Amino acid sequence: MDSDKWANWLKSMYGIKAGNNMPQVIVADHSRLIYYDVDQHGEKIKFNSGSIFSTINGAFAGTVSYKHSENIVERLARYLNDKLVVVEQTVSHHPWGVTLVVIGTLGGLALWLRRMMREESALADDLNRKARLD
């Protein structure tokens, strides 16, 4: 990749600064927005087949640690978006089941609140009776 033309993108995605340390090799899994910049031995990936294949094998085996191309805020936003998509799919595929669950939850909450208010009222009545002096 042309490090002069793509300098800002390389810096934001992979932390690669254009300069005299080129060429630099990374192994990227762009579908998960992660990348590897060290091989199985913890050394920077060299521009040779042994180092590159060592990194790929380590990535598949899970022995090489990866880095994220996104910051923590972007990852949190992606996580929350994925959860909202799951909720949307559940509601669209099972509308009656979701409706019953929501009605049941609201009914249970109403009953619980009613019981708490009744207990609070009974407690207040008991306190009033004990406080009377006649």
Side-chain angles (χ1 to χ4, degrees):
M1 190 176 251
D2 183 1
S3 65
D4 294 327
K5 181 178 179 180
W6 295 96
N8 290 336
W9 186 81
L10 286 169
K11 173 72 172 113
S12 68
M13 287 297 285
Y14 305 119
I16 297 174
K17 297 177 186 173
N20 55 2
N21 64 347
M22 293 301 187
Q24 189 169 350
V25 179
I26 60 156
V27 175
D29 181 355
H30 201 68
S31 66
R32 292 177 50 206
L33 292 173
I34 60 173
Y35 67 96
Y36 304 88
D37 60 354
V38 293
D39 61 11
Q40 284 184 321
H41 308 292
E43 299 174 11
K44 290 281 189 189
I45 303 171
K46 295 177 182 55
F47 197 61
N48 62 45
S49 62
S51 181
I52 293 171
F53 284 119
S54 170
T55 304
I56 293 172
N57 288 335
F60 279 123
T63 58
V64 178
S65 61
Y66 57 85
K67 296 181 180 177
H68 291 275
S69 295
E70 298 175 306
N71 64 32
I72 189 74
V73 174
E74 293 169 329
R75 285 184 295 192
L76 177 64
R78 181 177 302 279
Y79 172 80
L80 293 175
N81 183 56
D82 291 343
K83 295 302 175 192
L84 285 175
V85 167
V86 168
V87 169
E88 176 190 12
Q89 289 175 347
T90 303
V91 170
S92 66
H93 288 104
H94 308 286
W96 290 108
V98 171
T99 302
L100 290 174
V101 167
V102 168
I103 289 172
T105 302
L106 290 175
L109 181 62
L111 290 174
W112 179 77
L113 284 173
R114 188 172 167 195
R115 182 177 180 187
M116 289 294 122
M117 293 174 108
R118 192 178 313 138
E119 287 178 6
E120 183 178 315
S121 174
L123 182 63
D125 289 344
D126 286 345
L127 288 175
N128 284 338
R129 264 188 252 129
K130 290 179 183 177
R132 288 182 63 179
L133 297 174
D134 34 312

